[in-house]
Amino acid sequence: MSTDAIDPSAATATSQDVLARLAEVIAARRDGDPDKSYVARLFRKGTDSMLKKVGEEATEVVIAAKDGQREQIVYEMADLWFHSMIVLAQFDLTPADVLAELQRREGLSGLQEFAQRSPKT
């Protein structure tokens, strides 16, 4: 197996389970000691710092994808999802809220979904 191969069998829990557990960890650490918890430190710094991290991680995903580095794309995407979940928690939202929105969109073409949310002018 090449070093760029991703092993899908490595994850045994469902994606929803993993996201729900991570959301619980974020909630538990939110008000912790910022000297001992990265999550607590991000919450202490506030929304602007959280959003900056999301932007940085998104940029790293783009760079990894442009380089075609599959393992690095997964690594950076995990960072992006993690920091995005921090932002969700900041606004008392959960991965379930995002999954519900994705489920609502299921079966719609991207063009249909976009037309439904675009204001008519």
Side-chain angles (χ1 to χ4, degrees):
M1 179 162 47
S2 78
T3 58
D4 283 344
I6 304 301
D7 182 5
S9 67
T12 56
T14 69
S15 300
Q16 288 179 338
D17 293 341
V18 172
L19 293 173
R21 284 195 311 271
L22 182 54
E24 289 172 6
V25 169
I26 290 168
R29 294 182 182 171
R30 177 180 190 152
D31 296 319
D33 182 349
D35 291 330
K36 296 180 181 176
S37 168
Y38 178 70
V39 170
R41 186 176 304 156
L42 283 172
F43 277 99
R44 178 73 54 91
K45 288 182 175 183
T47 304
D48 285 348
S49 289
M50 294 173 190
L51 297 175
K52 182 179 176 186
K53 280 303 293 180
V54 169
E56 289 172 7
E57 298 303 339
T59 299
E60 290 173 2
V61 168
V62 169
I63 291 167
K66 287 188 72 64
D67 291 343
Q69 299 174 333
R70 292 172 44 87
E71 286 183 2
Q72 195 65 27
I73 293 167
V74 170
Y75 180 87
E76 297 300 348
M77 191 65 73
D79 284 351
L80 176 58
W81 285 17
F82 172 78
H83 288 91
S84 295
M85 288 178 65
I86 297 286
V87 172
L88 286 173
Q90 176 73 349
F91 293 97
D92 297 318
L93 296 165
T94 67
D97 296 311
V98 177
L99 293 171
E101 175 59 16
L102 290 172
Q103 186 174 17
R104 183 191 69 78
R105 296 179 188 187
E106 192 172 6
L108 291 176
S109 78
L111 296 175
Q112 286 173 313
E113 195 281 325
F114 184 73
Q116 288 179 357
R117 63 183 159 124
S118 295
K120 306 288 185 215
T121 56

